[in-house]
Amino acid sequence: MSWRYPIVLGLIIVMILVNFISQRIQKRRGILLKETKETLRQNLFTRFDFRRLSWKRKFIFWGMSFLIISAAGPQIGIRVKPVERKGVDLVFAIDVSTSMNAEDIVPSRLEKAKYEIGQVIRNLQGDRVALIVFAGSSHLYLPLTSDYEAALLFLDAIDTEMIPTQGTSMGSALNTGISAFSEDTEKYKVLVLVTDGEDHEGEAIEIARKARKAGFSIHAIGVGTATGSLIPLKTKKGIREEYKKDKQGKLVTSVLNELLLREIAQAGGGIFIRFDNRLATHRDLIKAINQMEKRTISTHEFSEYEDRYHIFGLIAFILLTVGFIYPTKRVVSDEWKGRFVE
């Protein structure tokens, strides 16, 4: 149930206060009348019924209440309205390994990726989106949903501390991404791999090739530069303490593995896109998604309402009519004082 003008309902509170004040005043008047003589009260109120007056006020009070409800415009949902929309199922597999903290992309690789993915989500129309995070292992972070506001909230909370198992397992990310799709159709399924290209297992290309045969489209997004950057190690408060070093104590430089990502995109029937320090690098991905054939997704929601003010208005009319015409005169049966004539 909904209301067209909900603010009008506040008048009911005002009416209750007025009715309360009126009753207090009437009570005081009753106290004053008790101090008068009994004969005077009988002469004044011989044909006046206070119980009838009480009922009259009740009819008027409830009549006004229903009139206010009617004026507020009550609307009642009468049926489920079918809503059809077209779209694809879009799954983002986002690398959250420590190498994504590299700052060759401002402010960092991960923050740049989150920003560009957020722009893609804001431009979706009817598509469903899911989020996967991966490092040494992968996890479904947000299942497929068309609630873009929720997707943006989940996206904003992603950081490199989410998965304790470090490393970069793109093969695991692809397998988790494939299992995230709920439909069995061979079309309309897009997996976007967002990473700097480091792969510690080397299975990603073969998995992408098999996924393409199963009807998936896999796009690869490279985040980083060819020159690379050191990997900062930060505290929980985000303060940089030092840079990552290998077992020999040498500083580790992380570079974008563009060649591998291009091979994954080619094997998966998608495109390669680079997220770098240029602006609006997400547009190529949006263009690729919009060019895909999209299926019709049918959902249902309570969205059709009908005004029901006339029902409450009719009740108000009946109660007010009864209240105004209801008599307060006491019904007295006069005793016949005549006589029979013989």
Side-chain angles (χ1 to χ4, degrees), residues 61-300:
F61 174 82
W62 287 108
M64 290 299 298
S65 299
F66 277 96
L67 185 62
I68 292 172
I69 293 174
S70 177
Q75 297 175 312
I76 300 176
I78 58 170
R79 58 180 173 270
V80 179
K81 179 182 177 182
V83 178
E84 289 189 351
R85 56 186 177 85
K86 291 186 176 181
V88 299
D89 288 341
L90 180 64
V91 177
F92 287 97
I94 304 171
D95 188 354
V96 293
S97 60
T98 54
S99 63
M100 292 294 286
N101 284 329
E103 298 172 346
D104 51 346
I105 305 297
V106 180
S108 71
R109 292 176 180 177
L110 182 58
E111 291 303 317
K112 174 64 173 180
K114 288 165 58 176
Y115 171 78
E116 297 293 349
I117 293 171
Q119 295 303 309
V120 174
I121 294 175
R122 289 184 177 91
N123 282 275
L124 296 178
Q125 296 180 352
D127 308 285
R128 295 191 300 179
V129 62
L131 299 176
I132 289 172
V133 291
F134 72 94
S137 59
S138 59
H139 304 280
L140 179 61
Y141 182 51
L142 175 68
L144 283 168
T145 179
S146 55
D147 187 346
Y148 300 143
E149 293 299 325
L152 290 172
L153 288 174
F154 275 78
L155 177 67
D156 186 62
I158 293 176
D159 58 41
T160 55
E161 303 295 326
M162 298 185 70
I163 299 180
T165 306
Q166 281 302 310
T168 306
S169 177
M170 286 193 283
S172 174
L174 291 174
N175 283 326
T176 304
I178 292 170
S179 64
F181 294 97
S182 59
E183 301 291 340
D184 295 328
T185 54
E186 295 182 356
K187 301 178 182 178
Y188 326 113
K189 296 180 287 189
V190 182
L191 178 60
V192 182
L193 185 66
V194 184
T195 178
D196 52 21
E198 292 186 0
D199 186 17
H200 297 168
E201 294 183 356
E203 300 176 349
I205 296 176
E206 185 60 30
I207 295 174
R209 190 175 290 113
K210 292 179 180 179
R212 181 181 182 181
K213 292 180 180 179
F216 294 87
S217 294
I218 298 179
H219 303 304
I221 295 180
V223 189
T225 62
T227 55
S229 170
L230 299 177
I231 303 173
L233 300 178
K234 299 180 180 180
T235 63
K236 293 182 179 180
K237 295 182 179 180
I239 301 174
R240 182 193 304 163
E241 288 185 325
E242 56 179 341
Y243 290 97
K244 185 176 181 179
K245 298 178 181 178
D246 59 17
K247 295 180 180 179
Q248 285 74 36
K250 296 181 181 179
L251 292 172
V252 176
T253 300
S254 175
V255 297
L256 173 65
N257 192 344
E258 183 174 329
L259 179 60
L260 174 61
L261 294 178
R262 287 187 179 276
E263 291 178 354
I264 293 174
Q266 184 178 3
I271 61 173
F272 170 78
I273 302 170
R274 183 187 299 137
F275 283 173
D276 51 26
N277 288 313
R278 296 173 299 165
L279 295 175
T281 50
H282 61 274
R283 291 178 179 172
D284 292 335
L285 179 58
I286 294 176
K287 183 178 179 181
I289 295 172
N290 291 336
Q291 289 177 346
M292 291 186 62
E293 181 184 356
K294 299 189 177 184
R295 73 174 183 275
T296 298
I297 304 173
S298 296
T299 59
H300 297 81

